[in-house]
Amino acid sequence: MVRGFILCFLIHFNSFIFSQDSERDFKMNLIEEVVKSKSDNYFSVDSLFYKNRKKKFTQGDYSKLYELSLKNKYTIGQLFAINSLGMVFRKKHDYKESIKYHKDAVKLSKAIKNLDIELLSLNLIGVCYRRQGDVRSALNYHQTALTKARRIKQPTISIKKSISISENSIGNIYLTLRQYNLALQQFEKSIQVQKELQDKRGLAINYQNIGFAQENLSLLDEALINYTKALKFDEEIKSKVGIIICKNNIASIYIKKRNYEKALKIMQDILPIAIENENKYYLARTYNNLGCAQLKVENYKEAEVNLNEGLSIAQGFENKKNEIRSLYLLSELYERTEEIKKSHTFYKQASKLEKKTLDEKNISYVNNLISKHNMQSKRNEIDYLESQSKIKSLLFLKNRNILIITLITIALLSIALYSIYRQKLINNDKTVLLLEQQALQTQMNPHFLFNALNSIKLYIINNDQKQAVYYLNKFSKLIRNILDVSKVKEVSLKEEIATMGLYMSIENIRFSNEINYNVDVDPELNTDTIKVPPLILQPFIENAIWHGLSSKEGDKNITLSASKTAKNLVEIIITDNGIGRGAAGKIKAGKSLKRKSVGIELTIERLKTFSEDYEEEFELNYHDLKNENDTPAGTKVSIKIPLS
């Protein structure tokens, strides 16, 4: 019996050794064949190794490929080996070593003038910096790759992939900075390329990222739809990592929807796959989500075990994001189990680590860099084209006199074009600045300030201190709002409506509060995420008051309503029951002192400028309201503003 056991063991052991030798021989043969073929297509080499990924190529395998490629002067093989080694170290979370290899790949690809590999390597460096939390460097490398790729007039498939990777990565940086709307814009650009290329892996990643941005904007149903789309693609390409990520995201949605049992079932199913996959980042997240679901169903004992496991893994490879979440969840757990001291300790650790990770100067720098990027890209493009033009001129010009004349001509033309371009930029900047100054002056009309303060003064004179204090507070809040929004280009529709409420309450004092002001906003409209130019509604409300209602007897009503009329349009309507535009025009014509109102004209110019960044254009329409007997019954102003 013992002999039989030993024989069985030896058979299995020899089989195992043979299997190992066979796999080693296969990998060595593949490496030798690649070097021997000397294919000049980097991505065909990458595809060959990807098809055989189950062989689990190691650092040693890629080092051997590099040595053989170097010996046989096979540059593409060297480049593939260098980038592959960089990715090996990235998986080990040794980002410093990974970046070193990818930078070597950038230098070598520049030397052989292979833009495809240079763009790939730049994006790989950006990913490493992003994984470390160095968003400054990450954004710089991805934007450099994107700028170079967009210069190509007829991009190849690999260039298009690089553009998609850059845009997707920039979107991920926006997620880090919590700029979720900007992230969505980047992912939408990236996904168009992936659809064109029918890249299922790229589509899975993009749908997943879109879902994440929507989840953080509290659009949970939309996020769940996109996570499900991503999961479908990951299952088609059999990406275990993708499936782990998607199921974690779906479970996160169910936790937020308070469907804890469903989330728990998903996490229990995915944990064995996450453990088998050995990706520490997603394993830590899986333990966190599992522990969170158990915490919510009050299974505190198992929740504590899994959350501590997630914390231990996250701390082991310095993954701050998962570490912070583990600490917060453990704090909540100990609060529920009435271990207050423990809860406070974990909460304090989480807050301190979160503050340290999200550096305010870093965010400020990058946000500023984002705002300047488009302009800088244009300038870089002009410099690039100018240098290319000069190089071509030098190559074609042989005669010294012709060379001098041509260079002088080009120089003069370049200076003239640059001067025209610079003057145009200065004029545009002046126009925008003038519009902003004029708009602020209009909103801060001295007559309005004087009259408002006079009205409040009457309450003080009449010893009505309560009303005086009430309206003085509103007035000060209105002035503060106006000064605050004068520094920004856009505000949320919610803030704009609130400011108009303050403005209306101050103006209404002069009418003894006779004007009934109503706001009607469609409940399905998310006014927090809709952006409009600041103080854009004020001139229309002012017109309704002073041209429509000031000369009217009886009931005086103004209604401000907002609703979504199309996918990319929100309609804001201001309705008054005043004397109508015809009667108001006659009154204005009869006045001896005629003043031209510039408020509406400035507003139209501001709306035009605002709409330039959107596909849709703004619309402004006036409607004269009539009674049954066809007499004027007021005015309705419709403003349609484009959405992102």
Side-chain angles (χ1 to χ4, degrees), residues 442 538-540 543 597-605 620 622:
T442 303
Q538 185 270 339
F540 300 106
N543 271 9
S597 175
V598 295
I600 299 298
E601 292 178 11
L602 283 171
T603 299
I604 291 170
E605 289 301 316
L620 174 63
Y622 288 88

Side-chain angles (χ1 to χ4, degrees), residues 10-224:
L10 288 172
I11 290 169
H12 283 290
F13 180 76
N14 286 331
S15 175
F16 173 73
I17 296 297
F18 177 77
S19 173
Q20 281 193 320
D21 289 342
S22 176
E23 185 173 288
R24 193 181 299 112
D25 290 342
F26 174 85
K27 290 194 287 187
M28 194 61 212
N29 287 335
L30 179 65
I31 290 167
E32 288 174 351
E33 283 298 320
V34 166
V35 175
K36 186 179 178 181
S37 70
K38 288 195 175 182
S39 169
D40 61 352
N41 189 325
Y42 178 98
F43 299 98
S44 67
V45 176
D46 180 60
S47 178
L48 184 62
F49 275 81
Y50 183 76
K51 284 177 184 176
N52 294 284
R53 63 190 180 279
K54 289 183 180 178
K55 300 297 180 184
K56 295 183 179 179
F57 291 93
T58 63
Q59 181 183 337
D61 296 324
Y62 292 123
S63 295
K64 189 66 180 175
L65 173 61
Y66 178 77
E67 289 168 9
L68 281 175
S69 297
L70 186 64
K71 184 179 178 181
N72 289 273
K73 297 180 181 179
Y74 177 37
T75 313
I76 296 296
Q78 294 175 53
L79 280 164
F80 178 76
I82 292 168
N83 271 333
S84 298
L85 284 166
M87 287 187 277
V88 167
F89 281 105
R90 190 179 79 195
K91 286 179 182 177
K92 293 179 180 180
H93 310 287
D94 187 347
Y95 299 113
K96 186 177 179 181
E97 196 66 19
S98 177
I99 289 167
K100 179 176 170 289
Y101 277 106
H102 293 314
K103 283 185 175 179
D104 287 343
V106 171
K107 289 178 185 176
L108 187 54
S109 58
K110 280 183 177 179
I112 64 169
K113 296 180 181 178
N114 191 314
L115 183 61
D116 289 6
I117 306 174
E118 182 187 345
L119 296 179
L120 171 69
S121 305
L122 286 169
N123 278 321
L124 288 171
I125 294 169
V127 171
C128 288
Y129 279 120
R130 178 163 56 83
R131 292 280 179 89
Q132 291 181 96
D134 185 352
V135 289
R136 294 186 186 187
S137 301
L139 186 61
N140 280 330
Y141 275 98
H142 288 308
Q143 285 182 335
T144 300
L146 188 58
T147 302
K148 285 175 177 273
R150 282 180 173 162
R151 286 176 181 165
I152 309 302
K153 292 181 180 178
Q154 294 181 329
T156 60
I157 290 174
S158 61
I159 295 290
K160 288 181 179 179
K161 282 184 178 179
S162 289
I163 291 171
S164 177
I165 291 167
S166 297
E167 287 173 337
N168 182 275
S169 296
I170 292 169
N172 275 300
I173 291 169
Y174 287 151
L175 289 181
T176 304
L177 297 170
R178 301 177 185 177
Q179 299 279 352
Y180 301 115
N181 285 314
L182 288 175
L184 281 174
Q185 290 175 20
Q186 288 298 132
F187 295 140
E188 288 297 341
K189 290 178 187 176
S190 178
I191 208 167
Q192 293 307 317
V193 179
Q194 300 299 346
K195 285 179 179 177
E196 182 186 340
L197 299 173
Q198 296 182 337
D199 182 354
K200 290 184 179 180
R201 184 171 178 273
L203 287 167
I205 292 169
N206 271 290
Y207 279 123
Q208 179 181 280
N209 287 335
I210 289 170
F212 185 78
Q214 290 170 332
E215 181 181 348
N216 281 279
L217 289 169
S218 299
L219 303 172
L220 300 182
D221 292 330
E222 291 89 337
L224 186 58

Side-chain angles (χ1 to χ4, degrees), residues 284-529:
R285 190 181 175 205
T286 302
Y287 274 116
N288 276 340
N289 274 336
L290 177 59
C292 180
Q294 289 167 335
L295 169 63
K296 299 300 182 183
V297 298
E298 299 181 1
N299 188 347
Y300 299 133
K301 191 173 181 181
E302 290 186 17
E304 184 179 17
V305 171
N306 287 312
L307 291 174
N308 274 310
E309 183 65 26
L311 177 61
S312 175
I313 294 168
Q315 288 174 334
F317 69 101
E318 295 186 357
N319 176 242
K320 304 301 180 189
K321 186 176 179 181
N322 280 318
E323 185 179 350
I324 290 164
R325 186 156 185 253
S326 299
L327 291 167
Y328 275 129
L329 287 169
L330 283 165
S331 172
E332 183 183 343
L333 185 146
Y334 291 126
E335 183 183 5
R336 289 191 178 201
T337 56
E338 298 183 356
E339 296 176 73
I340 305 303
K341 191 174 180 180
K342 255 185 166 182
S343 173
H344 179 69
T345 301
F346 278 101
Y347 185 84
K348 200 172 177 182
Q349 287 177 14
S351 299
K352 186 178 179 181
L353 186 59
E354 187 174 38
K355 187 177 179 182
K356 183 180 177 182
T357 304
L358 199 62
D359 187 289
E360 290 178 4
K361 289 183 180 178
N362 202 31
I363 290 175
S364 174
Y365 169 86
V366 177
N367 284 336
N368 186 50
L369 195 62
I370 291 165
S371 66
K372 292 179 179 178
H373 173 62
N374 288 335
M375 182 61 70
Q376 190 60 46
S377 295
K378 290 178 183 177
R379 288 176 181 171
N380 289 344
E381 192 64 26
I382 290 169
D383 293 340
Y384 172 77
L385 292 171
E386 186 179 351
S387 64
Q388 288 295 99
S389 175
K390 287 180 179 179
I391 290 168
K392 288 179 182 178
S393 298
L394 289 169
L395 289 173
F396 283 107
L397 296 176
K398 296 180 180 179
N399 185 284
R400 186 173 179 274
N401 293 331
I402 296 174
L403 176 63
I404 294 170
I405 293 168
T406 305
L407 285 175
I408 291 172
T409 304
I410 291 172
L412 290 173
L413 184 61
S414 299
I415 292 167
L417 288 173
Y418 180 76
S419 298
I420 292 167
Y421 175 74
R422 184 176 173 81
Q423 190 60 43
K424 188 177 178 181
L425 284 179
I426 292 168
N427 289 340
N428 285 343
D429 289 342
K430 283 182 179 178
T431 302
V432 172
L433 183 60
L434 182 62
L435 279 173
E436 290 174 351
Q437 289 175 342
Q438 288 176 334
L440 179 59
Q441 288 169 1
T442 303
Q443 269 89 50
M444 294 291 289
N445 190 312
H447 294 287
F448 163 67
L449 298 176
F450 177 77
N451 292 330
L453 289 171
N454 259 349
S455 300
I456 295 169
K457 185 173 74 175
L458 286 175
Y459 286 118
I460 298 170
I461 291 169
N462 294 331
N463 205 24
D464 191 348
Q465 294 181 4
K466 187 176 180 182
Q467 287 291 86
V469 170
Y470 174 75
Y471 284 111
L472 195 57
N473 283 337
K474 280 186 173 288
F475 179 74
S476 65
K477 191 173 181 181
L478 174 63
I479 297 303
R480 186 168 62 251
N481 280 9
I482 291 172
L483 291 174
D484 286 342
V485 301
S486 67
K487 300 172 186 176
V488 296
K489 290 186 177 180
E490 53 186 41
V491 295
S492 69
L493 181 56
K494 183 177 180 180
E495 291 174 299
E496 177 71 359
I497 291 171
T499 302
M500 291 306 102
L502 289 170
Y503 170 76
M504 190 64 220
S505 65
I506 298 300
E507 286 283 40
N508 210 359
I509 301 174
R510 296 175 62 192
F511 291 87
S512 302
N513 293 315
E514 290 179 355
I515 300 174
N516 297 313
Y517 175 66
N518 298 300
V519 176
D520 180 18
V521 178
D522 186 340
E524 294 184 4
L525 198 66
N526 189 348
T527 55
D528 283 311
T529 60

